[in-house]
Amino acid sequence: MGRASGRLPAAAPLFYGALAALTLLGVRDVLFLYEENRCSMTYMFEYPEYLKIKLPKKTARRYPAYELYLYGEGNYAEENKNLVLTGIPVLFLPGNAGSYKQVRSLGSIALRKAEDLDFKYHFNFFSVNFNEELVALYGGTLQRQTKFVHECIKVILKLYRDREFAPSSVAIVGHSMGGLVARALLTLKNFKPELINLLITQATPHVAPVMPLDKYLTDFYTAVNNHWILNAQELRNLTTLSVAGGFRDYQVRSGLAFLPRLSQQDSALSVVSSAVPRAWASTDHLSIVWCKELILATIRAFFDLIDENTRQITEDPKKRMSVLNHHFVRHPGKIFEENPEAFTELTGVVILKLQDYPSLSHIVILVPPTVGNKFALDCEFFKEDSRTVQLPVTNLFSFEKTSVYRLHIPWSHEDSVTVAKVPSSSEISAKLHVAQPGNDSRVPVLNIYSSSDCQYEVSNKHLFYTYYSYILVFQIIRFHAGALPVYVVSNILLTYGGQLNTLISTGQCSEFSLELVRTAKPYKVEPIISIVVFNWFREIRDSLSLPEVDAAVLSSQDIWFPLVSLILFLLGTGIAYWSGVFFSASLRLFSTLWLILIRPTVLQKDNKLFTYRRLCVMGSLALVSWTTCGALAVFVIYLQYLFKVLKNLTSEPTQSLSNSTTIAETVNSLKIHLTILYLFTWIVLLNLPSLVYWFKNLRYNVRLDPDPCRSTAIILVCILEILMNSSTSEVKSSKLLKIAAKVPLPLSVAMLAFGRMHLYKVPHFLTFSLLLHVLCCLV
C-alpha cells in the first residue's frame, strides 16, 4: 500500500521548536549559570624564566616536538642555570592545548614559601612542553606523551645523582589530560612505580573522555583504568589526589574527575574545589591552575609532606594521605601535626605559655569525679591585648549581616558554600556532581549559619513539577551532552530510511522535515535499548561476541536510567528537525547567491557513474588519505559534494523547461542528496578534530600516524564520488532498495547501543548505510 504524500502537521514545528529550545536552555545552564569567579589571581614577584633542559640525543630525535623546562625567577633562576639542583623535584604536565608555562603559579608560590623558610626546604618545578597538542580530541599521541614523560623523569633524577639528599622519586602535578598521562606511566612495561610517590591532578577526566572521538582515546582510557583497578594493591604506595573544578568547569564535569572506584581507597582522594577548605570556590578549566586559594593549599601540602631526615617528600603513604586530608578535606584551622599530643596530665599549679603551642585550637581540662571534696578551678589569661581583635565601626545606616549556607554531600567531597548578605534572597542549587551510590542511604544536608536576630524563609523549588522537570533535563544535558550527536544522527538516519521507503511505495522522495515527523519515533528504538541493558541479555551478547552496551557501562557508574535515553532521543529529534531546516535553507540561500553572482551555465547530465575523471579523483583522494590525513580526504570530497548540490539547486529553474518527469526526477534526487549531504556533514564534524590536529602538527610530520579514519576515508571517497553523480531513477529500479530502506532502523538501534561512549563508531554505521545506497545505484 502506498503512502499518502500528506502535509506537515501544524503543531510539529512548535513541538520540535520547544525541544530545541529546551536543549538550548540546558546548554545555557551548563555554560553560563554558575557562581561568579571567587578565585584570586596568582602573581609573580619577579620575571618568570623557563630554562630548557637538554635531553639525550636519542630522546630529542624520537620526540622532536616535545621539550622539558625548569621554572625559575630572579636570583633563583640565575643560580639554577648551571643545573646544580638541591631541592625536591616536581614535574608539571599540561593538558589539552596546554602550555608548559602554566607551571608558573605553582613555582612562584613555592618559591615565596621557601624564602620564608630561608630555603631550609625548597622545590624545583619542572614542566613538559607537549606542543599544545589537542589530546582531548585526538588520542593518537597519548602513548607518545606518556613515554616522553618517562624519559623526562629519568633525566630529572639524573640531575640530582651526586647530591647529599638526592631524590629517588618525582612528584607530579597534571592538569586536565596531563593527569591521565601521569596515571598512564604505570602501564608502561619498563616503568618502575617507585619513581612516583605523589600525583596531584587538576580537572582531569579520569573516568572517561569528554568526547570519545577516536578509538585510540577510548582504548587509552580503558588500558589506564583497568590497570589501576587490577593493580590497586601494588599502587598503594602512590598517593593520588584529584581536584575537580565544580560547576564553573563546563569542559570537564566534576563527576569525570573523580578517580574510578578502586579496591584500595586509602591511597586516593577526590575532591571538588568548592569543598576545599579556605578555598570554597569553583574554578573553570583553566583557572584551576592559577587559582590562588587552591595553589596555596597545594603548596602548603607540599611543604607539610617533607621528611626532615631525607629532605624529600615522605615515603610514608599514611602521612601523605593525612596531609592531603588536612589541607583538602577537613582543615581544622591550625598547622598540620603528624602525631598531636591529645592528653597531658596536670599536677599542681600549671602555667601554659600559649606561644609555645601555636598548633592548639582548644584546651580542654578534664576534672575526675570526686566524692565530698570541693575544688576550684581558676584560669587567668595573661596579655589580654593578644586576645583582642580590632574591628572597624559599622556605618550607622548599615544593617547588613552575613550568612553562610553550606550544602554537604556525605558520599563525596563536593560541598558547596554560599555567602550572602542580609537582607537578600539567595538560590542554592542542589545539583550533584556524583550520583548517590546504590548502597548509600545518606542524604545531603544544608547547613545554615545565620544571625540569630534575623528572620529566614526557606522554600524548596523541588516541589514544583515544572521546575523539577527543567532541572532534570538540564542535568541530563550536563551529564550526557557528549552523546547528543549520536541521537541527532540516529534521527537523521531514520528519516533517510523513511525517504527510501517512500521512494519504494510512491515513487517520490518525501521532504526531510515531513519524513522526520513520520519516521523518527522513539518507540522504534527505545524499547530495544532498554532491553539490552538487562543482565539476562548479557549471555546473548557474549554468545554473539558483541561489545558491552554503553548504557550498561553508564548504569554501573550510577548516571543512567531508562528515562535518560528517551529524553535524549526527543532532544535529538528537535535538533535534527531544526538543524535540517536551517541546513536546507542555507544551501538554497547560497545557491541563490551563486546564481546571482556567477550565473552558471545549464548542467549537462552525465548518465555514467564511472568515468576516467572520476576514477582519477577517487585514486587521488585515496592517495591523499593514505599519505597525509584521512580526514583531509573526507573534507575535500565533502566540499566537492557540497558544490555539486549547490550547482544542482541553481539549475532547478532551468530544468522547469523540460517535461514533468524530468522535473520530478530532479526534485527527488535533490531531496535525497540533501539528506545524504546532511548525514555526511556529521561525518565531517566527527572527523574534524583529527584534521585540526594534523594541520597544527604539519611542520613535524606530513602523515598523521596513527590515523583514526584513514581506512574509512578511502571507502567514503569512493562512495561519495559515485553518490554525488547518481539519481533516484537508478535507485528505484534496484533489487537492493528494499534492503537499503530497512537497514537504517537496526543501524540506528546499534548506533544508540554502541555509539554513546564511542562517537567514532557513528561514521562507520553511516558508511555502511551509504554503501548500500551505492550498491543500489549499481545493481
Side-chain angles (χ1 to χ4, degrees):
M1 182 179 294
R3 292 188 181 187
S5 59
R7 292 182 179 179
L8 186 67
L14 294 177
F15 176 68
Y16 294 127
L19 291 175
L22 192 60
T23 306
L24 291 176
L25 288 174
V27 173
R28 173 178 172 269
D29 179 76
V30 173
L31 298 184
F32 302 107
L33 298 185
Y34 43 70
E35 67 179 67
E36 62 180 7
N37 184 16
R38 299 208 299 261
C39 281
S40 304
M41 175 67 77
T42 51
Y43 294 97
M44 284 74 252
F45 288 85
E46 297 175 279
Y47 188 78
E49 296 185 32
Y50 306 89
L51 177 63
K52 185 176 179 180
I53 306 298
K54 186 177 180 180
L55 300 173
K57 292 182 179 179
K58 184 178 179 181
T59 303
R61 187 168 55 251
R62 184 178 299 173
Y63 308 100
Y66 301 158
E67 297 168 324
L68 176 65
Y69 288 89
L70 172 65
Y71 178 81
E73 296 178 16
N75 293 333
Y76 171 77
E78 194 66 29
E79 293 171 358
N80 287 334
K81 284 186 176 179
N82 56 4
L83 294 179
V84 180
L85 306 178
T86 57
I88 303 169
V90 179
L91 179 60
F92 175 79
L93 304 180
N96 177 59
S99 170
Y100 66 94
K101 295 182 179 180
Q102 290 173 316
V103 72
R104 60 183 176 269
S105 295
L106 286 166
S108 183
I109 297 295
L111 181 58
R112 302 284 84 78
K113 179 75 172 177
E115 289 177 346
D116 293 341
L117 299 175
D118 293 327
F119 281 92
K120 180 181 179 181
Y121 310 112
H122 71 279
F123 289 85
N124 302 129
F125 276 85
F126 298 84
S127 184
V128 172
N129 178 18
F130 284 135
N131 192 33
E132 301 183 8
E133 290 180 334
L134 303 173
V135 288
L137 303 178
Y138 169 74
T141 57
L142 284 169
Q143 193 69 19
R144 189 183 310 160
Q145 287 190 0
T146 305
K147 293 179 179 179
F148 178 73
V149 172
H150 184 198
E151 297 300 323
C152 288
I153 292 175
K154 292 188 286 187
V155 169
I156 290 171
L157 292 178
K158 283 182 180 179
L159 296 175
Y160 299 85
R161 179 177 293 172
D162 299 325
R163 305 295 180 262
E164 181 180 358
F165 298 98
S168 58
S169 61
V170 174
I172 295 181
V173 178
H175 172 240
S176 187
M177 295 297 288
L180 187 70
V181 169
R183 290 179 60 214
L185 286 168
L186 280 300
T187 66
L188 298 178
K189 293 181 179 180
N190 57 344
F191 183 81
K192 298 178 181 179
E194 58 269 20
L195 293 180
I196 311 175
N197 56 11
L198 176 65
L199 170 60
I200 298 178
T201 65
Q202 303 169 325
T204 296
H206 292 291
V207 177
V210 178
M211 295 293 288
L213 292 171
D214 65 60
K215 187 176 186 294
Y216 310 114
L217 190 58
T218 56
D219 286 352
F220 189 83
Y221 265 90
T222 301
V224 172
N225 286 331
N226 286 347
H227 181 87
W228 276 60
I229 292 173
L230 296 175
N231 299 276
Q233 190 67 28
E234 299 176 8
L235 300 178
R236 293 184 63 182
N237 290 327
L238 171 61
T239 304
T240 308
L241 168 67
S242 175
V243 183
F247 289 116
R248 284 189 61 87
D249 188 353
Y250 54 81
Q251 296 184 44
V252 177
R253 65 174 180 85
S254 297
L256 292 177
F258 275 60
L259 290 162
R261 297 168 185 169
L262 309 176
S263 58
Q264 298 292 337
Q265 290 287 351
D266 54 355
S267 62
L269 178 64
S270 300
V271 299
V272 179
S273 60
S274 59
V276 175
R278 303 171 75 176
W280 312 118
S282 176
T283 64
D284 59 55
H285 196 62
L286 291 179
S287 67
I288 197 169
V289 301
W290 55 255
C291 178
K292 184 177 179 180
E293 290 75 12
L294 272 181
I295 298 300
L296 285 173
T298 304
I299 296 303
R300 290 181 186 126
F302 268 130
F303 277 89
D304 283 343
L305 286 167
I306 298 175
D307 187 329
E308 293 184 359
N309 297 321
T310 63
R311 297 201 174 186
Q312 297 293 325
I313 290 179
T314 178
E315 296 181 0
D316 183 1
K318 290 185 178 180
K319 179 182 178 181
R320 292 198 296 261
M321 283 302 296
S322 297
V323 170
L324 294 181
N325 274 285
H326 176 86
H327 288 282
F328 289 91
V329 178
R330 52 175 186 272
H331 198 295
K334 62 179 183 178
I335 299 174
F336 172 78
E337 288 182 306
E338 185 174 0
N339 295 306
E341 191 172 333
F343 298 95
T344 301
E345 187 174 342
L346 305 179
T347 58
V349 179
V350 176
I351 299 177
L352 297 177
K353 294 183 179 180
L354 297 182
Q355 59 266 32
D356 293 340
Y357 303 92
S359 61
L360 295 183
S361 59
H362 297 78
I363 298 176
V364 179
I365 299 177
L366 175 64
V367 179
T370 57
V371 180
N373 295 328
K374 294 183 179 181
F375 63 88
L377 179 63
D378 295 325
C379 295
E380 183 178 2
F381 291 88
F382 298 96
K383 295 183 179 180
E384 184 176 333
D385 57 335
S386 65
R387 302 178 60 242
T388 303
V389 179
Q390 295 184 355
L391 298 174
V393 179
T394 309
N395 187 283
L396 181 63
F397 298 100
S398 174
F399 299 96
E400 288 190 354
K401 297 178 181 293
T402 301
S403 296
V404 178
Y405 314 116
R406 178 181 180 181
L407 180 64
H408 173 62
I409 311 299
W411 56 82
S412 65
H413 302 300
E414 55 173 284
D415 294 8
S416 61
V417 176
T418 303
V419 181
K421 295 290 185 180
V422 178
S424 67
S425 176
S426 299
E427 183 173 315
I428 303 172
S429 174
K431 295 178 290 188
L432 300 177
H433 297 292
V434 178
Q436 183 178 15
N439 57 353
D440 197 321
S441 60
R442 293 174 294 176
V443 296
V445 177
L446 176 63
N447 299 314
I448 302 178
Y449 305 95
S450 58
S451 176
S452 60
D453 55 351
C454 293
Q455 294 181 347
Y456 295 85
E457 180 181 354
V458 180
S459 61
N460 186 1
K461 288 189 177 181
H462 182 281
L463 299 176
F464 298 98
Y465 179 78
T466 304
Y467 182 83
Y468 173 70
S469 301
Y470 286 153
I471 293 298
L472 175 63
V473 174
F474 295 167
Q475 280 291 80
I476 287 176
I477 291 176
R478 182 184 302 277
F479 277 73
H480 302 283
L484 265 178
V486 183
Y487 285 88
V488 176
V489 176
S490 176
N491 276 275
I492 301 171
L493 188 58
L494 287 173
T495 306
Y496 165 72
Q499 287 179 311
L500 294 182
N501 275 315
T502 306
L503 198 61
I504 296 172
S505 59
T506 66
Q508 305 294 322
C509 183
S510 56
E511 288 284 350
F512 175 84
S513 55
L514 177 61
E515 195 59 47
L516 184 139
V517 175
R518 288 174 175 169
T519 312
K521 303 296 184 182
Y523 63 79
K524 294 184 177 182
V525 295
E526 286 305 313
I528 303 175
I529 297 299
S530 301
I531 290 173
V532 297
V533 178
F534 291 112
N535 290 332
W536 58 264
F537 183 79
R538 185 170 298 175
E539 296 180 2
I540 302 175
R541 189 198 69 223
D542 293 341
S543 64
L544 297 175
S545 300
L546 294 175
E548 189 169 15
V549 179
D550 289 350
V553 178
L554 295 172
S555 181
S556 67
Q557 298 172 3
D558 299 318
I559 59 172
W560 188 262
F561 54 95
L563 193 60
V564 171
S565 186
L566 176 60
I567 293 175
L568 288 174
F569 187 90
L570 291 175
L571 296 179
T573 308
I575 297 172
Y577 178 88
W578 281 106
S579 60
V581 171
F582 177 77
F583 182 75
S584 178
S586 300
L587 289 181
R588 294 184 184 277
L589 176 62
F590 284 129
S591 67
T592 303
L593 295 175
W594 182 290
L595 184 63
I596 295 173
L597 298 176
I598 302 179
R599 297 184 179 275
T601 58
V602 178
L603 291 177
Q604 299 295 326
K605 181 165 179 60
D606 189 350
N607 294 322
K608 294 181 180 179
L609 291 177
F610 293 99
T611 64
Y612 178 75
R613 177 182 175 278
R614 290 167 190 167
L615 290 175
C616 288
V617 171
M618 290 183 197
S620 300
L621 290 179
L623 184 63
V624 168
S625 175
W626 188 259
T627 57
T628 58
C629 174
L632 176 63
V634 170
F635 187 67
V636 172
I637 196 68
Y638 173 76
L639 292 179
Q640 185 181 347
Y641 196 179
L642 178 63
F643 287 130
K644 184 82 172 181
V645 172
L646 287 175
K647 288 180 180 180
N648 288 336
L649 285 170
T650 57
S651 67
E652 274 188 298
T654 308
Q655 297 288 354
S656 62
L657 299 176
S658 304
N659 58 60
S660 58
T661 304
T662 306
I663 296 174
E665 196 61 48
T666 302
V667 172
N668 287 334
S669 297
L670 276 175
K671 288 177 182 178
I672 202 68
H673 279 305
L674 284 173
T675 303
I676 293 174
L677 187 62
Y678 189 19
L679 282 172
F680 195 54
T681 301
W682 281 98
I683 294 178
V684 172
L685 291 176
L686 292 174
N687 286 310
L688 194 60
S690 61
L691 176 61
V692 175
Y693 180 91
W694 168 80
F695 184 77
K696 188 175 181 294
N697 293 271
L698 191 57
R699 64 183 183 272
Y700 297 106
N701 202 333
V702 175
R703 190 174 192 261
L704 181 63
D705 189 29
D707 190 340
C709 62
R710 178 172 291 127
S711 301
T712 308
I714 295 175
I715 298 172
L716 281 171
V717 163
C718 299
I719 289 176
L720 268 296
E721 187 62 37
I722 297 173
L723 281 183
M724 72 175 67
N725 298 289
S726 65
S727 66
T728 52
S729 60
E730 299 158 344
V731 176
K732 284 192 293 186
S733 60
S734 174
K735 298 177 181 179
L736 298 176
L737 182 56
K738 289 185 178 180
I739 298 176
K742 292 179 180 179
V743 162
L745 176 57
L747 284 181
S748 296
V749 174
M751 193 183 299
L752 296 182
F754 304 108
R756 279 177 286 202
M757 297 180 65
H758 305 83
L759 289 179
Y760 62 89
K761 292 182 179 180
V762 172
H764 300 163
F765 293 116
L766 296 182
T767 301
F768 182 76
S769 186
L770 295 178
L771 179 60
L772 287 178
H773 194 131
V774 169
L775 293 177
C776 289
C777 298
L778 301 175
V779 180

